[in-house]
Amino acid sequence: MNVMTPSMLDQRAYSDAAKQFLSRAPRLFINNEFVSSSHDATIAVEDPSSGREIARIVDASDADVNRAVAAARRAFDDGRWSGLPPMVRDRTINRLADLLEAHADEFAELEAIDNGKPKGMAAAVDIPGAVSQLRFMAGWSAKVAGETTQPYTIPNGTVFSYTVKEPVGVCAQIVPWNFPLLMACLKIAPALAAGCTLVLKPAEQTSLTALRLADLIVEAGFPAGVINIITGNGHTAGDRMVKHPDVDKVAFTGSTEIGKLINRNATATLKRVTLELGGKSPVVVMPDVDVAEAAPGAAGAIFFNAGQVCVAGSRLYAHRSVFDQLLEGIAATAPFWAPRPSLDPEAHMGAIVSKEQHDKVLGYIEAGKRDGASVVMGGDAPSSNGGYFVNPTVLVNVNPQMSVVREEIFGPVVVAQRFDDLDEVAKAANDTCFGLGAGIWTKDVSTMHKLAAKIKSGTVWGNCHAVIDTALPFGGYKESGLGREQGRAGIEAYLETKTVIIKM
Ligand code: NAI
Ligand code: MG
């Protein structure tokens, strides 16, 4: 007899708040109102833990994008935001942070059912991260300032010269699906503090938390048109945003391929561009480490968020003397990282965001095997009722020519290699077109500093990985990006400098 039993990998029931939100009609957020699209095109929203469609969102038309940009343009040009006392901007942004905190549990659930990540991870990382982006940047509202400067070639007292910092204008902000709300807040916070207005486009796979944020934007008291939220596909709505003549700046996080395309498209009107792109970040483990610490560290570097992290430690270089021990230690973390549905309170790793991404990750594993790599952990998908799960995977016997070593997989897959000395591993770590992050594990301070200096990447971590803080600049060397976000550099990216010289 065939008895239907719930699979261990079945998604749990949603809360009433989530169900109510999911029952809303597809709408865009323009001028502080939820409005219909100019056409009927919509995109399915899936829960990656079940593969089921749970709602639909608007696939914005060119006319929708034009309407949103026009709203942002008007709101910028009449100074309804940039002209406010900086203290009011600071307090409004902080009010949004307060509201987000008050609704943290609901946002964590929505993120979990939209992205597939464990609700516990969203509650511990994504939501507080989004709040801290808003709070830290809010404080810059009143603290950006120009300088009074004595000219070099002009006699003293004959001119008065100073610089002022002005908001760059209307910003098009396009974010990916791996940390949807966190990325959205990371983008809007500095723009708002600087006095810019904006159109935000979340990824078509994960637009729910941005749409829910729109409610809080109205409640926080932002003037209409300052923040507009458009949902839709990248090659249509995103492309229109990037090419729109009334947009002054484009900020993008996503794939290197699309980042390069956006940079080219923004050139026509020389828009300001910041890009946070892909990575293939090395994790280097020196022979002196305590393997009991380094092994879970290296595992977390790749398995956190199912490897869907731009700085995922996807290339592991372990010194020959600790290689075997380290791999045993990583394999021992398998039960902890075993994929589970996102609303399972035991989950540390959830589902992959989409079927497309799930198949891409499994395709890389197959390509690795065909090229001669061996699987020492995972390497497959657990059987499930339609969820997009991939088991945490370690590949060995790899070489630098293989696609699994060269390309960003964006899944829970790490390639592990042995090395013998520092120069050799520095060279291997830098043998990539990317340069986003790198992890070094050692107790030797001078080794740490020597290697940190040799590695070409925007961030280097010592005895930890993927630690990101809103006060610390973040960005890529080489093909991992353009410019920096967060910290002082983050607000500067939304400011122009005007020099004023007055003859006295
Ligand atoms: P993607 O780069 O295509 O999408 C990211 C965002 O860009 C989305 O909001 C999308 O709608 C938008 N977009 C796409 N095409 C556009 C265009 N022509 N003009 C303007 N906006 C556009 O990334 P995708 O396709 O979701 O994932 C592909 C790969 O990219 C992943 O497998 C992963 O390797 C990498 N990726 C890297 C991320 C990172 O944080 N560095 C985040 C997401 C993906
Ligand atoms: Mg794409």
Side-chain angles (χ1 to χ4, degrees):
M1 202 174 79
N2 216 347
V3 184
M4 292 288 284
T5 52
S7 147
M8 265 187 55
L9 291 176
D10 274 348
Q11 180 68 306
R12 300 187 178 208
Y14 302 163
S15 69
D16 289 339
K19 280 190 220 157
Q20 201 182 353
F21 176 73
L22 292 172
S23 69
R24 289 190 193 180
R27 291 284 184 270
L28 303 164
F29 182 70
I30 300 174
N31 255 328
N32 274 6
E33 284 174 0
F34 284 97
V35 298
S36 307
S37 168
S38 73
H39 66 181
D40 290 332
T42 57
I43 299 171
V45 178
E46 279 180 356
D47 179 340
S49 299
S50 64
R52 278 200 283 274
E53 180 177 326
I54 53 171
R56 298 195 74 85
I57 53 168
V58 170
D59 184 8
S61 65
D62 280 2
D64 295 333
V65 173
N66 293 349
R67 202 169 149 201
V69 172
R73 186 80 256 168
R74 273 196 307 279
F76 184 76
D77 289 347
D78 70 13
R80 73 183 77 163
W81 180 241
S82 63
L84 290 174
M87 185 182 79
V88 176
R89 287 211 305 276
D90 179 343
R91 290 179 66 167
T92 311
I93 300 167
N94 264 304
R95 208 145 50 222
L96 181 60
D98 294 342
L99 289 166
L100 205 46
E101 266 174 338
H103 294 88
D105 189 68
E106 186 193 342
F107 274 88
E109 182 187 359
L110 281 179
E111 206 71 301
I113 64 187
D114 200 13
N115 165 278
K117 70 176 67 199
K119 183 183 170 190
M121 288 288 182
V125 177
D126 296 62
I127 316 304
V131 168
S132 67
Q133 294 292 340
L134 292 167
R135 292 210 192 286
F136 175 81
M137 284 298 169
W140 281 114
S141 302
K143 295 179 187 73
V144 289
E147 294 177 324
T148 308
T149 304
Q150 194 59 53
Y152 183 56
T153 60
I154 301 169
N156 246 347
T158 58
V159 301
F160 180 58
S161 46
Y162 59 95
T163 61
V164 272
K165 296 287 181 179
E166 296 184 343
V168 71
V170 173
C171 305
Q173 303 189 307
I174 300 174
V175 295
W177 41 258
N178 51 347
F179 295 91
L181 180 75
L182 175 51
M183 290 286 163
C185 290
L186 189 153
K187 287 281 184 286
I188 69 172
L192 294 170
C196 296
T197 63
L198 61 97
V199 179
L200 170 77
K201 195 189 84 60
E204 53 273 29
Q205 298 86 349
T206 55
S207 295
L208 296 184
T209 45
L211 289 169
R212 183 69 180 95
L213 188 70
D215 297 323
L216 307 189
I217 285 165
V218 177
E219 203 179 332
F222 286 92
V226 172
I227 306 171
N228 305 278
I229 301 172
I230 285 290
T231 59
N233 279 306
H235 63 278
T236 50
D239 187 65
R240 179 67 194 144
M241 287 167 68
V242 172
K243 291 177 179 164
H244 200 297
D246 281 338
V247 166
D248 302 298
K249 177 189 161 90
V250 180
F252 171 78
T253 297
S255 62
T256 289
E257 180 198 353
I258 298 298
K260 289 176 179 175
L261 175 69
I262 285 176
N263 203 29
R264 284 198 294 277
N265 289 339
T267 297
T269 51
L270 220 59
K271 294 180 173 68
R272 277 65 185 133
V273 176
T274 42
L275 303 171
E276 298 293 346
L277 310 176
K280 192 75 183 176
S281 298
V283 171
V284 177
V285 181
M286 299 305 292
D288 64 88
V289 296
D290 181 354
V291 171
E293 263 179 56
I302 184 66
F303 301 141
F304 168 65
N305 215 44
Q308 302 165 119
V309 181
C310 52
V311 293
S314 51
R315 289 184 294 143
L316 176 62
Y317 296 95
H319 191 269
R320 190 172 300 280
S321 64
V322 291
F323 185 88
D324 291 337
Q325 245 185 309
L326 192 77
L327 258 60
E328 274 169 37
I330 292 174
T333 69
F336 180 87
W337 291 110
R340 289 169 182 268
S342 62
L343 297 181
D344 183 335
E346 302 293 306
H348 299 107
M349 190 166 105
I352 303 292
V353 71
S354 64
K355 172 124 195 354
E356 181 189 358
Q357 196 63 25
H358 174 262
D359 292 352
K360 177 181 161 183
V361 173
L362 291 177
Y364 268 113
I365 296 171
E366 288 313 310
K369 287 195 229 167
R370 272 199 309 278
D371 291 344
S374 324
V375 176
V376 292
M377 175 180 173
D380 56 2
S383 61
S384 82
N385 291 338
Y388 308 136
F389 303 100
V390 175
N391 284 317
T393 297
V394 180
L395 301 176
V396 296
N397 297 329
V398 296
N399 67 57
Q401 280 72 48
M402 293 181 184
S403 63
V404 285
V405 177
R406 305 215 71 79
E407 296 170 24
E408 182 176 58
I409 298 175
F410 229 62
V413 182
V414 62
V415 291
Q417 293 164 273
R418 294 174 179 80
F419 72 90
D420 293 296
D421 72 72
L422 203 77
D423 287 330
E424 176 200 355
V425 76
K427 197 161 168 254
N430 288 330
D431 181 18
T432 170
C433 65
F434 299 113
L436 200 54
I440 304 168
W441 293 77
T442 180
K443 289 179 179 155
D444 183 327
V445 184
S446 74
T447 302
M448 182 68 84
H449 287 294
K450 274 187 206 158
L451 203 49
K454 282 175 192 287
I455 291 179
K456 293 181 174 58
S457 76
T459 303
V460 175
W461 289 284
N463 298 321
C464 60
H465 200 91
V467 176
I468 290 175
D469 184 274
T470 175
L472 304 174
F474 180 82
Y477 280 29
K478 302 196 270 183
E479 293 180 31
S480 285
L482 206 60
R484 292 292 178 272
E485 292 185 314
Q486 309 191 123
R488 188 180 191 119
I491 182 85
E492 291 289 343
Y494 288 88
L495 296 167
E496 294 279 13
T497 301
K498 177 181 281 173
T499 303
V500 182
I501 305 156
I502 299 165
K503 186 164 176 285
M504 295 197 288

